[in-house]
Amino acid sequence: YAPYILDEYNYPPVFMTTEDFTSISQIETDLRSYAESEKSKFVKNGITDKSWTAYLEKLDTMKIDELIKLKQKGFDDFYKE
């Protein structure tokens, strides 16, 4: 797969404020832990519409929207002309 991984498809090395970087780190740490835990449950027990919906709702309560906004802000600032 390596030949198909292009820099244009990867998140660039952006500069952020300390506050934004700290928020991203905290949110990502929590999200990764939760996602890995749930992934193993999905593999072991299967997945239903109900469990998937609950998973998505939990991501919302874990500030995934804030993470996306912060990452988008960094991305936009990086490509600002």
Side-chain angles (χ1 to χ4, degrees):
Y1 297 106
Y4 302 102
I5 298 175
L6 305 174
D7 286 341
E8 66 188 277
Y9 300 122
N10 293 316
Y11 192 78
V14 301
F15 291 99
M16 299 180 181
T17 65
T18 302
E19 181 181 283
D20 287 350
F21 182 77
T22 300
S23 293
I24 286 171
S25 295
Q26 290 171 341
I27 295 168
E28 281 184 338
T29 298
D30 293 341
L31 285 174
R32 281 193 181 117
S33 175
Y34 175 68
E36 289 300 316
S37 172
E38 292 302 299
K39 183 169 61 172
S40 65
K41 289 177 190 175
F42 293 152
V43 170
K44 181 179 175 188
N45 304 324
I47 188 170
T48 63
D49 286 342
K50 183 178 178 180
S51 62
W52 181 250
T53 299
Y55 173 75
L56 295 177
E57 288 171 352
K58 179 70 173 176
L59 292 179
D60 286 339
T61 67
M62 297 178 79
K63 301 182 181 180
I64 196 167
D65 289 338
E66 182 180 342
L67 174 66
I68 293 168
K69 286 178 187 174
L70 291 169
K71 292 266 192 165
Q72 186 65 52
K73 178 182 167 190
F75 186 85
D76 291 344
D77 289 346
F78 183 82
Y79 286 106
K80 192 183 298 183
E81 295 182 317

